[in-house]
Structure formats: structure tokens, C-alpha cells
Amino acid sequence: MRPSGAAAVPIVVFDIVIVGAGPAGLCFARSLAGSGLEVALVEAQAEPDLADPPFDGREIALTHHSVHLLRQLGTWAQIPQQEIHALRDAQVLDGTALPGMRIDHSDGPRSQLGYLVSNQLIRRAAYAVLRGQERVTLLCGRRVTGIEPGAEHSRLRLSDGQSLQARLVVAADSRFSETRRAMGIPADSHDFGKTMLVCRMRHDQPHHQVAWEWFGYGQTLALLPLGDGESSVVLTLPHTDIQGLMAATEADFAAAMEQRFHGRLGRMQLTTTRHAYPLVGVYPRRFTAQRFALVGDAAVGMHPVTAHGFNFGLLGQDLLAREVLGLAAASGGTGYTRDPGDARMLARYGRDLRRATRPLYLATLLITRLYTNDAPPARLLRRAVLSAAGSLPPLRRAVAHSLMQAGDSRQATTPLRGLFHALRG
Ligand SMILES: Cc1cc2nc3c(=O)[nH]c(=O)nc-3n(C[C@H](O)[C@H](O)[C@H](O)COP(=O)(O)OP(=O)(O)OC[C@H]3O[C@@H](n4cnc5c(N)ncnc54)[C@H](O)[C@@H]3O)c2cc1C
């Protein structure tokens, strides 16, 4: 990989330009490395921020399929073992009712549902494995400011005045993707009107590597188990309430969290900085256009409650890379003689990604609407749904299996598709 500090960028013509070197863009570039394709990644942040990103509060729950993909990319080996935490089981609670629904690893074929790794470490590892890759050019500290699609190639304008040309442009520039908008792709977005606060806390009571999703009345709380006696705490409230908690002293914050958890975790203590994320879900009407494709959050901007944003980002970049590299293989080996922006290939990618992600995206909207509605009829309904789901073994097994499978991304199933197959079979 050429460093971004080079005085002049010698190549302005690429096969593929990726906009955005977040975790999805970095992983996609790594998937293409070694194919013979000339790839450029354009990133607004400075390169040192990619090499050593700061802690951002996000702990990413990874499915077994995602870990399988990260292993293939070499990224998994770059994450320190002691920073990878087991997500053994998950418990979903409603209001004060117990026991809610438990998704147990023993309903599936593995000893844990998934893994928890901080977003900071995933980003660092994704950058580390890209360093040294030939034919990958990283253009940091500059933004893509314009795009002109064309029949043979597309042109991109950068904020430093440079122009790039590519046969395929892939936007991985976040759920608020400017490149997607510039291409005229409409997106349905849903502002949940809430903000999510995330941080790490130590607590007296053990977590037994069980994640909690607790839909309380007036608040949603989640607990993601990390090392012994430490968890990631995730609190969703209206923005002004979150602002108050962000500004509170550490002692006042800890006291407030003990109270919000009804003392279930004993004494609690803040161990990291606090981070707040306004919640907006985004789903574009299509994932591709002429010589253009979306990956990562730019393609599917999930609400974090179902913990699938980056899992879908990894899945999507793998589906697209397989299409692009499949053409490379079909062209007979090392030389890439066919077109990485081939319209039929892009159409297949869009169809497969939609099939894999749309049901869970819509289900997540429904879940958040129902479980943040505290009106009495909604309370009755939400409790009934959770209790029915908890006593429906096919659903629990489908969710467990969908989290634990690993293999071909085109066969990857989401909990909803898994349930459909479980009920059919
Ligand atoms: C609180 C929270 C918890 C989460 N938990 C989970 C979880 O448990 N499991 C899970 O799978 N997912 C989870 N996610 C989702 C996950 O964090 C995201 O899906 C993932 O980080 C998105 O990566 P990305 O590369 O697509 O986008 P981003 O990380 O948003 O990166 C986009 C990049 O594009 C760059 N960029 C933007 N515009 C331009 C431009 N014009 N030119 C050049 N560069 C540009 C930006 O600088 C940035 O580096 C969570 C998210 C949040 C907020």
C-alpha cells in the first residue's frame, strides 16, 4: 500500500475507487488485494487516525460468519486475544417482567453465540492488514466532493482538486453517504428520535458472558459482557436526557446507572469515556447504479439494537468482492481483463444483499417501534410477543443458528430467514 504522505499521487486511473476507509471500506479493499486490480481508497480522516483510531465506545457483537470472514482477511489475527470477549447467551427482558426470552448457545452448534470486540480494535486491525498490500493506494485527508458516472468509467473529484477515474466506484462513506446522494440514489431513513449512550463500566455482580437487552419503560438498556466484572453499558433515551448523563460527574453517572439497572449489577464504576450516537436507520432504494455500488453503512444503516450493522457490512463487502473476483477468475487468472463495473454482476450483488438484509432491517424497525412504546396496549402486546417468542423453540433455535453459522455469504441466513426455514422444515 502506498502511503498517503507521498508528495504526488502518480496514478489517477484506477480499476476500483472506494470512498471511505471505515471498517467496511478497509475490509473491501483487503478482499480485493492480490487480485491484480488497481484499487484506491479515499478517506477524509488523516492516516494516523486510521492506524490508531481512538476508543469510540462501540463494542461490536460479531456473528461466527463475520469472524470467519475476518479470519480469511487476516484481520482477526491482528486483534489481541485478550480483547476478544465471548458472547455466550443473550437475555431479552421487557419492563419488570421476568424471565423474558433467552437465546441460549446450547440451541445451536457452538459453545457461544458470538464474540464482542471493540470497534476501535476492528478498525486498527483492518488498517494493519491493508498496509503493505500492492496495488492499493490510500488517499487520506481528502474527501470525494463530486462524481460523474459514465458508460466506460466514472470520474471522481477530490477536495484537494485531484480527479480520479475508475471502472467501479464503491461508496463506503457511512449511512449519511454523500456519494450515494450525489449519484441520485434515494434512501428511506428513519430517525428514531433517541440517542444511544455507550461506555464501559465495572460492576460487582458477574455477567456470566450473557448479554442483556432490557426494554424498560421510558428507557432501553443493554449490557454487553467483556472481561471479568466489566461490561459495555448501552442506554437509549431522548437526546436531552443523554446530554445530562454525558455531562454528569463520574460518581453521579455511576449512581444513575445503578439505579437504572435496579441494582442488579451491584456497585458500578465508569472505566472509559462516554460516547453518544443519535439513532437513524437508513435503507437505500437500490444498492447499485451505473459503475457504482454501496457497501457498509452506506448500503444498510441498521439501528444497533439487533447488532447487525457491521455484520451486514462484512457480508456485503464479501458478496461484492466475490462478484468482482469471480469475474477475475473467469477472465483466466492473474490479469484482470474483464470489467469490474459489469452491470449484471452489480445487479446480482444488489439482489443478494437485499435478500440478506431487508427482512432484519424491517424487523428491527418494528421491534424498536413496539418496544419503545409504553402505552398500556403496547405494553401488553410487547410482553405477549416476548413470552410467545420465548416459548417458541423454533424461533430461539433459528436465532441461535443464524448467529452461529459460518461459510458462504450467499447462503448466510438472518434470524428471520432461519425461522422461515425452521418452520418449513
Ligand atoms: C453504538 C453502536 C453500537 C454498534 N454495535 C454493533 C454491533 O454490536 N454489531 C454490529 O455488527 N454493528 C454494530 N454497530 C454498527 C457498526 O459500528 C457500523 O456498521 C460500522 O462501524 C460501519 O462501518 P462503515 O465502514 O460502513 O462506516 P463508517 O465507520 O461510518 O466509515 C465511513 C468512513 O467514510 C469516511 N467518509 C465519509 N464521507 C467521505 C467522503 N465524502 N470522502 C472520503 N471519505 C469519507 C469517513 O471519514 C469514515 O471513515 C454499532 C453502531 C453503533 C453506533
Side-chain angles (χ1 to χ4, degrees), residues 7 13 16 29 44 54 64 84 92 144 159 169 265 273 316 323-324 375 386 391 395 397 399 415:
V13 177
I16 299 183
H64 288 268
I84 299 172
V92 186
V144 167
S159 51
V169 174
L265 295 166
T273 43
E323 289 292 348
V324 171
L386 204 57
S391 51
L395 175 67
R397 278 201 297 276
V399 174

Side-chain angles (χ1 to χ4, degrees), residues 224-259:
L224 303 172
L226 303 173
D228 275 351
E230 190 178 32
S231 297
S232 169
V233 167
V234 185
L235 171 65
T236 305
L237 288 173
H239 188 65
T240 44
D241 298 340
I242 292 290
Q243 275 178 319
L245 286 165
M246 291 290 287
T249 65
E250 292 196 9
D252 287 351
F253 178 77
M257 294 313 290
E258 284 171 18
Q259 205 176 18

Side-chain angles (χ1 to χ4, degrees), residues 146-297:
I147 179 165
E148 288 164 35
E152 299 301 319
H153 51 72
S154 293
R155 282 252 162 84
L156 289 165
R157 277 188 310 282
L158 307 191
S159 51
D160 62 358
Q162 191 173 32
S163 290
L164 307 180
Q165 182 176 300
R167 289 192 287 164
L168 174 65
V169 174
V170 176
D173 53 348
S174 87
R175 66 188 63 206
F176 305 111
S177 172
E178 290 166 14
T179 322
R180 182 183 66 213
R181 186 171 294 120
M183 285 295 291
I185 296 181
D188 296 320
S189 71
H190 184 85
D191 189 333
F192 293 89
K194 298 269 169 62
T195 296
M196 184 174 264
L197 185 156
V198 281
C199 61
R200 287 185 177 195
M201 296 190 82
R202 293 201 66 77
H203 44 83
D204 286 349
Q205 296 301 318
H207 49 54
H208 303 295
Q209 303 306 137
V210 178
W212 297 1
E213 188 68 51
W214 185 2
F215 298 104
Y217 299 137
Q219 65 173 12
T220 304
L221 275 167
L223 191 80
L224 303 172
L226 303 173
D228 275 351
E230 190 178 32
S231 297
S232 169
V233 167
V234 185
L235 171 65
T236 305
L237 288 173
H239 188 65
T240 44
D241 298 340
I242 292 290
Q243 275 178 319
L245 286 165
M246 291 290 287
T249 65
E250 292 196 9
D252 287 351
F253 178 77
M257 294 313 290
E258 284 171 18
Q259 205 176 18
R260 287 184 178 278
F261 274 99
H262 294 193
R264 286 179 179 186
L265 295 166
R267 300 253 318 153
M268 299 178 77
Q269 191 189 351
L270 190 65
T271 53
T272 62
T273 43
R274 288 160 269 183
H275 299 263
Y277 294 93
L279 294 175
V280 180
V282 183
Y283 204 91
R285 300 276 172 85
R286 51 186 200 275
F287 295 125
T288 63
Q290 189 178 38
R291 299 198 170 275
F292 183 79
L294 299 166
V295 298
D297 275 16

Side-chain angles (χ1 to χ4, degrees), residues 19-26 42-45 50 56-62 66 116 119 123 139 142-145 172-179 196-198 224 234 277-279 295-298 300 302 304 306-313:
V19 188
L26 287 168
V42 185
E43 168 56 48
Q45 296 177 67
L50 290 190
D56 61 15
R58 303 185 202 190
E59 309 293 340
I60 305 296
L62 295 165
S66 291
L116 282 159
N119 194 44
R123 289 180 58 200
L139 303 169
R142 56 205 101 174
R143 307 182 68 80
V144 167
T145 54
D173 53 348
S174 87
R175 66 188 63 206
F176 305 111
S177 172
E178 290 166 14
T179 322
M196 184 174 264
L197 185 156
V198 281
L224 303 172
V234 185
Y277 294 93
L279 294 175
V295 298
D297 275 16
V300 184
M302 292 289 289
T306 40
H308 255 67
F310 184 54
N311 288 304
F312 280 161

